[in-house]
Amino acid sequence: MNRKRVFSLTAKRLGFSHGWTIVIALLCMIPCLNEPLGYAQHAKPDVVLHGTVTYADRQTYKELPFAVPKGVTRVSVELSYTERDKHTSIDLGVFDSERFRGWSGGNKSYFTISETDATPSYLPGVIIPGKWKLILGVPNIEEGVRSEYEAKIYFAHAGETPEVSTFSQTPLRNGPAWYRGDLHMHNAHSDGSCLSQSGQKVPCPLYKTVEAAANRKLDFIAITDHNTISQYNDMRELQPYFDQLLLIPGREITTFQGHANVFGTTSFIDFRLTSPHVPNINQMLQQVQDQHGLFSINHPGSPSGAACMGCGWTVPDTDYSRVTSIEAINGGSLDGPRSGIPFWQDKLNKGYRLTGVGGSDNHDADYPPQTRSAIGHPTTVVYAANLSERAILDAIRVGHVFIDIEGTSNRILEFTAQAGTATAAMGDAIQSPADQKVKFSIKMTELEGAHPEVIQDGEITTLVDAAAVQGKEETRNFDYTSDGKRHWLRINIRSSGGSLLIAGNPIYLNF
């Protein structure tokens, strides 16, 4: 039985609708998203150093020079050696061409160093080309023992992205699923604050934000401090401990004309819009594109002025074809008059396929759950091939996303379409000539008492039965006769009182 068929059957047995069965099958056919790859595994090493350690090397240091060429932005080293079972120990450290960069002794066999972040024990900083020296210390080796060592050295360059995640060499969880996260939060690296032990308001340590997200059972978060990239070194340290919570590198590009998150790159992005350094927004978008980052406009419905300069998006001449997503729901405004939904839907009506996402915009990790701007409130729920940075961002790019406004742990919306033999799920496009019947399906889980509404091209329709959901899981179907023109349809789920609970992404017709 072929691989696609196996995963299709698995999806059906788990109760996924037909559209998501296809998505699962396609995602699971992508090799790079199913193998535990990382900087040290996804390619051949650039340099390999071999050697032998004997009793004569006991309690000495060996210097292993290697050349780092120009243009390298990250150096990663993986050390292995034999005869560990015979009490052989080899310690590890490194000097660059000018200075000491770190020493991990025998507690690590792998490290990575870049300008923004480094494995604990090592110093982040500019990668200086020239002759570096790997330092091997030999605290112990028994007489008559010969230990063979191998050091694999990997070089990364500007514009390259990790095969899996920036801070983790393997996915934190394997297998396609709905993964829940928060894409917008701040801490001591920008303007996040919380109460100190003595009750004073102080810059809030990044650790508290990550801990709060873990306690709220989120699967992933992006730390998005204003313009800075200093947070990445802390994230590098925290990721191994928080091994059930994926940490995605982000930053909030904060300009006088608008704010936007950039995800998936640790490289500097010049935020000085309207200056000679960045004279227009499309030059900034080109920077992001060159780094394979994801650009997401934040809280576009907010007012912009003296009270919050640039909070609303007023940037002229924005090329929305280079924008990936819009923060349709922000924790500070939710579904109120400052919602980003009208801005988002306006761009959808103009033909841009932009993914709607949510973010708490949390500035205080102590906010209790279910309050405005608490971590995970709202939650962006992403259907991805696995829990890795690469998979989560790829799924956001294609729109396999809904927003859980209250940040619950169990509400699910699946919205699928079928036209002839073609199928689509949220974020997908489907072609349908005039007079063809398109069959849509809405599957709602843990939404008892709520009701669905179908939004077509920004307007509420009567296409679906709007009665309250009766059980823990319910599916409603409706038919739509295509006129052959371009349209988009998406689903809102509202409470009995009319509050927005779920905002789904569109299925696109004839785009």
Side-chain angles (χ1 to χ4, degrees):
M1 185 178 292
N2 67 41
R3 193 178 189 185
K4 180 177 179 181
R5 176 67 173 160
V6 168
F7 281 99
S8 295
L9 290 175
T10 300
K12 290 176 182 176
R13 288 167 185 162
L14 291 173
F16 290 101
S17 63
H18 181 68
W20 280 111
T21 300
I22 299 298
V23 171
I24 293 171
L26 292 174
L27 288 172
C28 292
M29 292 179 70
I30 303 173
C32 70
L33 297 180
N34 288 294
E35 302 298 332
L37 305 177
Y39 279 114
Q41 289 88 5
H42 83 279
K44 294 174 63 175
D46 296 279
V47 177
V48 180
L49 304 174
H50 296 278
T52 302
V53 172
T54 67
Y55 184 75
D57 300 304
R58 184 174 179 270
Q59 297 184 6
T60 66
Y61 298 94
K62 300 177 75 70
E63 294 186 356
L64 310 180
F66 62 97
V68 176
K70 290 182 180 180
V72 171
T73 58
R74 182 180 294 275
V75 174
S76 302
V77 175
E78 187 175 35
L79 175 70
S80 61
Y81 59 91
T82 64
E83 313 305 332
R84 289 174 180 264
D85 58 336
K86 297 179 181 177
H87 309 293
T88 300
S89 298
I90 298 180
D91 293 342
L92 181 61
V94 71
F95 285 76
D96 68 17
S97 60
E98 297 181 3
R99 65 184 178 122
F100 172 69
R101 293 299 289 263
W103 177 260
S104 54
N107 65 69
K108 296 178 180 72
S109 60
Y110 171 84
F111 69 81
T112 186
I113 299 174
S114 77
E115 182 176 9
T116 58
D117 60 90
T119 301
S121 305
Y122 294 86
L123 298 173
V126 173
I127 302 301
I128 303 168
K131 186 172 77 173
W132 288 42
K133 292 181 291 186
L134 203 62
I135 307 300
L136 303 185
V138 188
N140 191 66
I141 186 169
E142 302 295 329
E143 241 180 315
V145 172
R146 292 174 60 86
S147 175
E148 306 295 329
Y149 66 79
E150 180 180 74
K152 297 178 180 178
I153 302 171
Y154 302 83
F155 300 141
H157 304 81
E160 295 179 354
T161 56
E163 290 292 328
V164 176
S165 301
T166 298
F167 307 122
S168 175
Q169 290 178 262
T170 58
L172 273 61
R173 196 184 315 161
N174 286 304
W178 289 106
Y179 295 104
R180 297 175 182 267
D182 191 338
L183 293 171
H184 191 169
M185 55 187 63
H186 301 273
N187 61 90
H189 289 269
S190 60
D191 55 347
S193 61
C194 56
L195 298 182
S196 69
Q197 290 180 326
S198 60
Q200 302 299 311
K201 188 175 181 179
V202 297
C204 200
L206 175 60
Y207 178 89
K208 283 184 65 67
T209 296
V210 179
E211 183 178 51
N215 289 341
R216 289 166 198 177
K217 307 300 183 185
L218 294 180
D219 298 308
F220 65 89
I221 58 172
I223 305 297
T224 55
D225 288 305
H226 295 286
N227 293 330
T228 189
I229 51 180
S230 60
Q231 64 271 25
Y232 301 146
N233 197 50
D234 287 359
M235 295 171 73
R236 170 75 61 185
E237 179 179 4
L238 293 174
Q239 182 67 92
Y241 177 77
F242 291 98
D243 57 0
Q244 296 178 353
L245 174 67
L246 176 68
L247 306 184
I248 297 175
R251 91 287 305 266
E252 185 170 16
I253 297 290
T254 307
T255 80
F256 303 132
Q257 299 177 328
H259 299 182
N261 284 336
V262 173
F263 307 113
T265 175
T266 60
S267 298
F268 172 67
I269 303 294
D270 201 328
F271 55 87
R272 294 172 290 180
L273 186 62
T274 69
S275 78
H277 303 282
V278 190
N280 61 72
I281 184 61
N282 295 314
Q283 185 169 319
M284 180 185 289
L285 290 169
Q286 185 63 51
Q287 290 183 65
V288 176
Q289 188 174 328
D290 290 344
Q291 300 299 329
H292 305 290
L294 189 159
F295 192 91
S296 182
I297 293 173
N298 288 344
H299 40 70
S302 296
S304 184
C308 188
M309 185 58 66
C311 282
W313 190 261
T314 60
V315 185
D317 303 319
T318 302
D319 181 357
Y320 290 98
S321 68
R322 292 180 167 184
V323 175
T324 302
S325 58
I326 303 289
E327 190 179 63
I329 302 290
N330 177 276
S333 56
L334 297 178
D335 189 34
R338 298 180 179 180
S339 165
I341 290 178
F343 181 95
W344 173 41
Q345 294 188 154
D346 174 71
K347 301 303 175 284
L348 296 177
N349 283 341
K350 291 176 179 176
Y352 298 104
R353 291 173 60 179
L354 301 172
T355 302
V357 299
S360 69
D361 205 353
N362 177 263
H363 283 68
D364 186 338
D366 290 333
Y367 284 169
Q370 303 307 311
T371 59
R372 281 181 179 266
S373 291
I375 289 170
H377 190 192
T379 296
T380 300
V381 189
V382 180
Y383 196 84
N386 56 52
L387 185 53
S388 69
E389 177 184 323
R390 177 76 173 268
I392 294 293
L393 295 185
D394 281 352
I396 292 173
R397 285 185 171 96
V398 297
H400 295 164
V401 174
F402 68 84
I403 308 165
D404 185 333
I405 282 73
E406 294 183 346
T408 71
S409 62
N410 55 4
R411 288 175 178 165
I412 297 290
L413 168 67
E414 293 183 75
F415 181 44
T416 58
Q418 182 172 1
T421 59
T423 61
M426 284 184 289
D428 297 338
I430 195 167
Q431 298 301 307
S432 180
D435 298 323
Q436 184 182 42
K437 184 176 292 186
V438 184
K439 296 181 177 297
F440 287 92
S441 178
I442 306 168
K443 183 178 178 181
M444 299 163 284
T445 304
E446 299 293 344
L447 285 159
E448 192 170 3
H451 64 274
E453 59 184 23
V454 178
I455 310 297
Q456 178 184 328
D457 302 331
E459 302 294 331
I460 299 174
T461 73
T462 57
L463 287 168
V464 73
D465 178 5
V469 174
Q470 296 300 309
K472 288 188 175 181
E473 182 177 294
E474 185 173 322
T475 299
R476 293 190 187 172
N477 303 310
F478 66 92
D479 292 338
Y480 175 91
T481 302
S482 174
D483 62 5
K485 298 178 182 179
R486 187 179 70 190
H487 297 284
W488 56 267
L489 292 87
R490 68 175 195 85
I491 305 301
N492 284 334
I493 307 293
R494 293 191 179 274
S495 70
S496 58
S499 298
L500 185 62
L501 302 178
I502 300 287
N505 269 275
I507 292 175
Y508 300 90
L509 295 181
N510 302 313
F511 269 63

